[in-house]
Amino acid sequence: MATVMLLVASAVMLGFAGWATWDGHRHMLRAEAAARQAREHANAAQEHARQACEAADRSVAAADRARATRQS
């Protein structure tokens, strides 16, 4: 009887350990996906900032040309 109880307890512990390992792996995969998405959003924001900077540079150049045209 003690052997059966020991086998049942071992099976329960192994089952719990397996579930905990799987659950930890699942959380790790979710964290990796969230990190990947955050990197993609950061890259998109960086690209938008670069485009805005280029547009601002073009606006400054156009204003300078308009100012030079009016003064001449």
Side-chain angles (χ1 to χ4, degrees):
M1 182 68 172
T3 305
V4 171
M5 295 283 286
L6 183 60
L7 286 174
V8 169
S10 296
V12 168
M13 291 299 289
L14 284 174
F16 179 75
W19 174 83
T21 300
W22 174 83
D23 193 53
H25 183 67
R26 184 173 59 92
H27 285 293
M28 182 187 66
L29 291 177
R30 281 187 179 173
E32 287 175 351
R36 184 172 37 256
Q37 187 176 22
R39 276 192 306 274
E40 290 171 358
H41 287 168
N43 289 339
Q46 187 176 21
E47 177 62 20
H48 290 159
R50 185 189 63 76
Q51 291 173 356
C53 187
E54 288 176 354
D57 289 342
R58 287 191 302 271
S59 295
V60 168
D64 289 344
R65 285 192 305 271
R67 192 175 306 113
T69 303
R70 273 181 290 174
Q71 290 175 354
S72 56

